[in-house]
DNA sequence: TAAAAATATTCAAACGTTTTAATAGAATCT
DNA sequence: AGATTCTATTAAAACGTTTGAATATTTTTA
């Protein structure tokens, strides 16, 4: 059947196409009577206006693009997929659509060709997660689009960012350990991305310092940039165990690391938490399913996504790119079974 | 800056807009010389044609919609998110975009209002996962769009479906158990969706029958439709344990159930697999992270998605909805640590 | 070398909306 | 009652492509 157009509706309602358009867009200056008549026809005919025809005029496609890195570890996706869901909900609410754009973020040096879609689709805004190559950020900048870095792991120049306060999260984790009497605390983290690395480590360091605790240097384990989070953490934990001195607890800068650390501990014949306590950050889906269930600092992804979307749509509504930077620090302690009280 | 259009490019290349269009669409009848000249300008100017203007003419938006049920259990999403990723890869390859449509699939009786996007966007095809209310299927049918039910749990009438051969998967799981000397095998599954339920159970039943094994009825545990997979499985396992007779192994119709079952076993002070073996179906992400790592029948989601996309795009390319039904049976045994050999 | 055929390019209409300016009609003011 | 304002409606242009028909150019054929 030939697809219905606005002029079909107009004919059926006995008005001009313009009137139908005005009604659909809830514009003022239409008599209550004709408005109702038009809406009736639309309802009855099940009419939906052509999005492409609209976009062409409006220069807005009611679409948000989400950059999705196809290159990362499955566990890393867990946190992002959780964000995806909340963003989808938010956008649906606002009658925006979400398109996912597959990207391959390699290393920083190789510029990433931004998929054409961002330009040809006329998306209204862009979201990306975590660490993003600078070439992407500058590329987006040229498009002059509202662009939000969510859970941003770097200091962006020309776009919006919502950064998780990993320092605060680390402090919360450390506080839980020290509150439970731990002082001999090892650290498993990474040296990349720099900002994230610095924040988590500083949380660890300052907490120890404030309590005048000193630990062996071998307890501080930093993954290098391109190591595999989970497996490397396993090796890092082994290194700690072989260092001679034995910590009572390990603070992991991410749940992924905690998973590797626990695996190493088990393999070494140690029990968690009776022999060694472990705590992480994030609370990814898997964390409550491992054995023992991981005690961790939960980052509320739903609120994180909402706050981010608020920023993004503020910029979209204003009709201009923005460069606001905000920080997110809505943490709660997910107390499960990997931290033992020494008191 | 004013956005570039095809006529800007035409001017710069010294040709007409039509020529530019022909070049971009790789149409024949353009001299090699002008083709190169035009492409040069496009490249240099970084030109991307307006998707909305194109769609309007072509009546194709180069877009696939994925129906995403916001109502389901996080663990159930795991399998689907794995499919998402593969579909995204496939579509990107073909220069199609993926838009995710949030749906709330409740029960079958309440009709689901299909989001307007499916009609106004002019999507070229639709994919949904798992069990879908019939109202959705009939709704999609009216749109006369290529529509694929992926990992379909029902017998569709008017759309394409790619069904996983859960009977075969169940047989593979059962074979692994019996090969390892198990005969006293309990069953944890569900009675919904009917087709899925029937297939997995039939795999279980026929395997036992062929070996002339009989088991107590209390070992056959069917979840009801709206119970929560994971937690119900835990209760089902408890019921089996309290039934008096003790199985040496439990076949779970899905990994989610296996996770609940293992939890119950542990809580009862039993060890997996020394006391009771457990096997599942799916191999969701989490299965290799639980303790002990779950032995399960892996369904290769990447191939499943590819086969599905092949079907979908065959229909799209043919320009007409299709009603092909295929079955997927690419299983491999993921042997991990929850099945003990009795031999 | 004129006509025919083949090749390369362009014209102009079409796609289905939104929107500005114009029009018609009703209500208000002097 | 004529002029003015206000309200409701519409005509027509615009958005940026694609495409079938038309034109211009070159090559082949007779």
């Amino acid at each position: 059947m030939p697809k219905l157009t606005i002029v079909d509706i107009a004919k059926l309602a006995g008005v001009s196409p313009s009137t139908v358009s005005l009604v659909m867009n809830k514009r003022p200056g239409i008599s209550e009577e004709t408005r109702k008549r038009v809406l009736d026809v639309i309802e009855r005919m099940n009419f939906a206006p052509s999005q492409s025809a609209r976009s062409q005029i409006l220069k807005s496609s009611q679409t948000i693009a989400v950059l999705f890195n196809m290159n990362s570890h499955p566990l890393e996706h867990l946190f992002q997929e959780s964000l995806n869901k909340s963003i989808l909900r938010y956008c649906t609410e606002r009658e925006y659509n979400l398109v996912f754009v597959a990207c391959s973020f390699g290393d920083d040096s190789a510029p990433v060709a931004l998929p054409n879609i961002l330009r040809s689709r006329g998306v209204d805004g862009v979201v990306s997660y975590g660490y993003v190559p600078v070439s992407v950020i500058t590329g987006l900048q040229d498009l002059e689009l509202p662009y939000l870095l969510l859970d941003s792991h770097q200091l962006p120049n020309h776009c919006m960012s919502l950064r998780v306060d990993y320092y605060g999260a680390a402090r919360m984790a450390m506080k839980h350990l020290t509150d439970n009497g731990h002082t001999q605390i090892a650290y498993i983290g990474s040296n990349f991305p720099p900002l994230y690395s610095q924040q988590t480590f500083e949380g660890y360091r300052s907490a120890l310092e404030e309590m005048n605790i000193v630990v062996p240097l071998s307890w501080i384990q930093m993954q290098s940039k391109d190591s595999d989070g989970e497996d490397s953490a396993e090796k890092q934990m082994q290194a700690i165990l072989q260092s001679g001195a034995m910590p009572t607890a390990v603070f992991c800068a991410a749940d992924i690391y905690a998973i590797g650390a626990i695996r190493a501990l088990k393999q070494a014949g140690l029990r968690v938490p009776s022999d060694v306590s472990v705590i992480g950050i994030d609370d990814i889906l898997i964390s409550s399913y491992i054995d023992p269930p991981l005690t961790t600092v939960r980052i509320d992804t739903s609120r994180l996504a909402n706050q981010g979307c608020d920023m993004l749509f503020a910029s979209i509504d204003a009709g201009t790119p923005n460069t606001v930077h905000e920080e997110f620090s809505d943490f709660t302690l997910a107390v499960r079974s990997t931290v033992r009280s020494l008191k």
Side-chain angles (χ1 to χ4, degrees), chain A residues 16 62 78 106-107 144 149 188 211 213 243 253 257 288 336:
Chain A
S16 76
Q62 301 269 104
L78 239 32
D107 60 88
E144 302 186 9
L149 289 162
I188 293 182
M211 300 191 68
I213 302 171
S243 75
Y257 305 153
S288 52
R336 292 198 272 254

Side-chain angles (χ1 to χ4, degrees), chain A residues 204-222:
Chain A
Y204 167 77
R205 199 199 56 74
S206 61
L208 291 188
E209 188 179 64
E210 286 170 19
M211 300 191 68
N212 293 309
I213 302 171
V214 286
V215 299
L217 257 175
S218 54
W219 286 7
I220 294 167
Q221 291 284 335
M222 296 271 192

Side-chain angles (χ1 to χ4, degrees), chain A residues 126-166:
Chain A
V126 182
V127 178
S128 68
Y129 300 137
Y131 187 86
V132 184
V134 285
S135 61
V136 170
I137 299 184
T138 57
L140 258 314
Q141 183 190 347
D142 293 345
L143 297 187
E144 302 186 9
L145 277 176
Y147 175 28
L148 172 71
L149 289 162
L150 193 50
D151 182 27
S152 171
H153 283 196
Q154 57 208 127
L155 279 167
N157 313 303
H158 303 288
C159 54
M160 293 175 285
S161 80
L162 178 50
R163 228 158 58 226
V164 173
D165 169 25
Y166 284 101

Side-chain angles (χ1 to χ4, degrees), chain A residues 51-323:
Chain A
Q51 182 55 251
S52 52
R54 301 196 71 217
S55 330
Q56 213 174 336
I57 311 283
L58 302 181
K59 274 130 175 47
S60 144
S61 58
Q62 301 269 104
T63 302
I64 305 294
V66 173
L67 268 35
F68 194 84
N69 184 5
M70 305 294 277
N71 280 348
S72 56
H73 190 284
L75 289 188
E76 279 177 33
H77 279 312
L78 239 32
F79 191 78
Q80 296 170 6
E81 273 155 3
S82 173
L83 289 171
N84 281 344
K85 199 170 162 184
S86 300
I87 293 185
L88 179 56
R89 178 170 289 128
Y90 192 111
C91 289
T92 302
E93 195 86 18
R94 292 219 26 174
E95 304 205 318
Y96 269 67
N97 295 127
L98 223 53
V99 341
F100 283 80
V101 180
C103 296
S104 294
F105 295 162
D107 60 88
D108 240 338
S109 52
V112 177
L114 282 180
N116 260 352
I117 171 186
L118 295 184
R119 281 175 294 130
S120 47
R121 271 285 166 144
V123 300
D124 299 320
V126 182
V127 178
S128 68
Y129 300 137
Y131 187 86
V132 184
V134 285
S135 61
V136 170
I137 299 184
T138 57
L140 258 314
Q141 183 190 347
D142 293 345
L143 297 187
E144 302 186 9
L145 277 176
Y147 175 28
L148 172 71
L149 289 162
L150 193 50
D151 182 27
S152 171
H153 283 196
Q154 57 208 127
L155 279 167
N157 313 303
H158 303 288
C159 54
M160 293 175 285
S161 80
L162 178 50
R163 228 158 58 226
V164 173
D165 169 25
Y166 284 101
Y167 171 79
R171 288 302 300 246
M172 184 178 273
M174 290 297 290
K175 179 167 190 306
H176 184 63
L177 291 179
T178 54
D179 281 356
N180 279 282
H182 292 275
T183 57
Q184 302 303 93
I185 304 172
Y187 174 87
I188 293 182
S190 88
N191 64 12
F192 188 87
L195 188 58
Y196 162 75
S197 151
Q198 179 190 316
Q199 283 194 97
T200 53
F201 182 71
E202 182 57 20
Y204 167 77
R205 199 199 56 74
S206 61
L208 291 188
E209 188 179 64
E210 286 170 19
M211 300 191 68
N212 293 309
I213 302 171
V214 286
V215 299
L217 257 175
S218 54
W219 286 7
I220 294 167
Q221 291 284 335
M222 296 271 192
Q223 300 198 9
S224 74
K225 174 172 174 173
D226 31 37
S227 52
D228 172 342
E230 186 192 344
D231 292 342
S232 315
E234 194 174 335
K235 298 200 188 82
Q236 293 172 288
M237 188 69 236
Q238 284 161 358
I240 293 173
L241 293 176
Q242 285 157 15
S243 75
M246 179 78 151
T248 64
V250 184
F251 163 51
C252 298
D255 285 1
I256 305 188
Y257 305 153
I259 288 169
I262 291 174
R263 191 185 295 158
L265 287 166
K266 284 186 175 178
Q267 269 165 15
L270 294 166
R271 318 213 94 211
V272 178
S274 13
D275 296 321
V276 179
S277 295
V278 176
I279 195 167
I281 293 180
D282 278 349
D283 195 20
I284 56 180
L285 176 64
I286 217 169
S287 299
S288 52
Y289 288 97
I290 61 171
D291 181 77
L294 182 67
T295 294
T296 185
V297 174
R298 149 171 281 176
I299 299 171
D300 188 324
T301 50
S302 157
R303 292 208 186 139
L304 179 59
N306 282 350
Q307 187 175 334
C309 287
D310 283 344
M311 295 170 69
L312 186 66
F313 279 98
S315 173
I316 290 176
D317 292 340
T320 148
N322 203 334
T323 61

